[in-house]
Amino acid sequence: MSFVQIESLTKKFGDLTAVNDVSFEIEKGETVGLLGPNGAGKSTTIDIIVGLRKPTSGRVLVDGFEPSKNGLEVRRAIGYVPQRAAIFEDLSVRENLSLAAEMYGIPRFKHRVAEIIKEFELEEKADKLAGTLSGGQKSRLNFALGCIIADSQLIILDEPTVGLDHRRRMEAWGFVRRLHGSGKAVLLTTHYMEEADALCSRILLMDRGKIVAQGSPQQLKSTLSDELVVEYTFAEMPSEELVQKLTALPDVVGVNRDDLSLKVTLKSGALPQVRQLVHESKLLIRSSSEKRVTLDDVFRHYTGSELREKGE
Amino acid sequence: MKSLILAKYTFKDVFRDKMGLLFMVALPVGLVVLGNIGAEEMADRAAMIVMIIYFFMIIIGCVGVGATVLDMRRSGILKRILIMPISKMGFLLGVALDTFARLGVMVGIVFIMMFIYRITIPGSWLDLLIVLLIAVLFALALGLNFAAISKSVFATYGIGIGTSIIVFNLADWHLGGRFEGTMIETIADHNPLYHLFRVILGIIYEGTPLCQFHPELGTVFLWIAVLFLSSVALYRWRIEKMI
């Protein structure tokens, strides 16, 4: 049985249907991304999973418990990392973590707190007030609080990298990858395509309360096409012979030569052969670019709009 | 148990927030100093000080819990805590315990100051302390309801302060006989602060032991229970709008 089972989940707020007949499952050891713009219904779905909201209809089971009826049992097994660093600024790092550890009833909680402080490299700041931490340290504390239960079965990351700069985002990605490797079920909501692409083993594309597509990032991208376009600009005009050799390759769809540039449309499997032929031509390459199908393209395909535009 | 854990950590904030700590000490000290001016009789002095601090306890109790919950909501801590294994009632109790401890410290300072001023009363100081703490409980139970329905800190302060003043003055005027023979008298009879007033004045002026006020205290405890349960019901109803 899957750790999280959601069947025909619907949540209405008056006339607004925030979540519309959503079904999915999460197994232990997989990182599932709930990808969609603001207002897609991601946070409402999470709130229902943790038992903070009751579904209008449908069924949610977490480890066999219904969150709306057995909220305490469900929440004991869940670690949660919110979007903003929701921390008590007037408590120290250690006190913030101790509060969470005691609330979860962790035995020998001081030992666990020391362990998690070390794991998230917060030793130097352990006894400093959380309000005095830098943005990156607050983000680390935010993650540490979500990971305080060592034996939690499900970690929910609710847009954990919103507002973080590149370096901190990469650090946060490292934490998510570590969680993925620990065998826990991880549910990550995000409106960043590249984040879902890089971190999730499975993605649920959500828009206007509905799941419009789901699968691994590769599967989702291949539903559109596995074609890519490689464009070269050479120092001199490419020869007719090169064009013919490229056109003759079985997985090359088309070759366009325009003065110094060459545009090759191909199935992704043919890329090594194309590169080899270009290399053998001994032409000096001034620039080259590859454009693959991205999750942006997939999202646009299913919803007719840009995720990034809607999300930001 | 979870409520105690929550209160244990949130109460630490008292010693970190310098301005808050200054207020917690300066208010009761200032009130006792002011209360000593203008009253000749010892019992009058005690009554004036206790009534002033009682008035502030009711206001702070009413507003304090609401402000704490709204502050937690704004910082996102409310959601984080509610996702931990604590019931809604447990969470509310935790917030109430924290405010109760803060007000308890203030009441304690008032009592220390009255000992310093060598103020004496015919009744028991312990009885008086217990009544003040019961008054704080009533204020907290009322404040929890305001916290559940208020959408902003401004509204919490407005509703909390406004209601406290009305309820306090109704009790005061009723005690002075202002409503005699009117319809308001029946309503004012059920005002828990009116009963608490009678208990406080009975201890200060007549030295009546607390155990003799069981009908009055029974009414107050009934109010506290009803208000606390109604606040839990309001939170259950409103929680989806608060997170």
Side-chain angles (χ1 to χ4, degrees), chain B residues 178-228:
Chain B
R178 194 180 282 199
F179 304 130
E180 262 175 42
T182 66
M183 258 178 63
I184 303 172
E185 190 175 15
T186 322
I187 302 165
D189 274 341
H190 296 287
N191 180 355
L193 289 199
Y194 165 68
H195 295 285
L196 284 169
F197 261 120
R198 288 180 43 165
V199 179
I200 289 170
L201 296 177
I203 294 169
I204 291 177
Y205 283 106
E206 289 149 26
T208 316
L210 192 59
C211 57
Q212 288 186 19
F213 289 107
H214 52 85
E216 286 85 353
L217 293 178
T219 308
V220 177
F221 276 118
L222 186 67
W223 267 102
I224 292 172
V226 168
L227 286 171
F228 190 73

Side-chain angles (χ1 to χ4, degrees), chain A residues 11 13 47 50 52-54 72 75-76 80 82 84 86-88 90-92 95 98-100 102-104 129 142 145-146 158, chain B residues 2-3 5-6 8-10 12-13 16-17 72-77 79-88 239-241 243:
Chain A
K11 177 68 184 175
F13 298 104
D47 289 348
V50 297
L52 287 181
R53 294 184 197 277
K54 286 182 181 164
L72 288 181
R75 295 202 292 270
R76 270 191 199 107
Y80 172 73
R84 283 185 295 165
I87 49 180
F88 284 101
D90 287 323
L91 292 183
S92 70
E95 286 165 344
S98 299
L99 165 64
E102 282 202 72
M103 291 290 254
Y104 281 104
L129 294 186
N142 197 31
L145 281 163
D158 193 0
Chain B
K2 296 281 162 68
S3 316
I5 294 169
L6 180 62
K8 181 178 88 178
Y9 284 96
T10 51
K12 289 186 182 189
D13 169 58
R16 313 271 160 83
D17 175 10
M72 283 183 174
R73 184 183 170 190
R74 206 171 33 203
S75 62
I77 291 174
K79 189 169 179 179
R80 172 156 247 158
I81 288 178
L82 290 176
I83 287 177
M84 291 176 181
I86 184 170
S87 64
K88 290 175 186 80
I239 198 75
E240 293 202 1
K241 290 188 173 68
I243 53 174

Side-chain angles (χ1 to χ4, degrees), chain A residues 77-81 146-147 149 152-157 179 184-188:
Chain A
I78 295 179
Y80 172 73
V81 179
C147 301
I149 338 168
S152 64
Q153 309 293 308
L154 170 68
I155 302 278
I156 294 176
L157 307 159
L179 287 172
K184 297 176 194 291
V186 179
L187 176 60
L188 167 77

Side-chain angles (χ1 to χ4, degrees), chain B residues 155-191:
Chain B
T156 308
Y157 277 75
I159 299 170
I161 294 172
T163 311
S164 308
I165 291 173
I166 291 168
V167 176
F168 189 91
N169 281 324
L170 267 177
D172 189 27
W173 293 335
H174 187 34
L175 209 64
R178 194 180 282 199
F179 304 130
E180 262 175 42
T182 66
M183 258 178 63
I184 303 172
E185 190 175 15
T186 322
I187 302 165
D189 274 341
H190 296 287
N191 180 355

Side-chain angles (χ1 to χ4, degrees), chain B residues 8-75:
Chain B
K8 181 178 88 178
Y9 284 96
T10 51
F11 185 69
K12 289 186 182 189
D13 169 58
V14 168
F15 305 102
R16 313 271 160 83
D17 175 10
K18 301 283 183 291
M19 279 308 288
L21 189 62
L22 184 69
F23 173 77
M24 266 183 72
V25 176
L27 179 73
V29 169
L31 289 177
V32 174
V33 172
L34 283 173
N36 263 294
I37 301 167
E40 292 292 325
E41 294 293 323
M42 201 58 95
D44 287 344
R45 279 200 216 174
M48 186 179 285
I49 292 165
V50 168
M51 282 307 165
I52 297 172
I53 194 74
Y54 176 53
F55 176 67
F56 277 95
M57 296 288 114
I58 297 295
I59 291 182
I60 296 169
C62 263
V63 173
V65 274
T68 305
V69 173
L70 283 165
D71 192 41
M72 283 183 174
R73 184 183 170 190
R74 206 171 33 203
S75 62

Side-chain angles (χ1 to χ4, degrees), chain A residues 54-116:
Chain A
K54 286 182 181 164
T56 307
S57 64
R59 197 162 82 123
V60 177
L61 285 179
V62 178
D63 202 15
F65 292 105
E66 274 190 59
S68 58
K69 291 178 185 159
N70 308 92
L72 288 181
E73 282 78 5
V74 168
R75 295 202 292 270
R76 270 191 199 107
I78 295 179
Y80 172 73
V81 179
Q83 189 182 108
R84 283 185 295 165
I87 49 180
F88 284 101
E89 304 237 320
D90 287 323
L91 292 183
S92 70
V93 168
R94 196 184 301 279
E95 286 165 344
N96 266 287
L97 289 163
S98 299
L99 165 64
E102 282 202 72
M103 291 290 254
Y104 281 104
I106 295 171
R108 296 176 63 231
F109 75 90
K110 285 183 182 170
H111 175 73
R112 176 62 188 152
V113 167
E115 215 172 59
I116 203 105

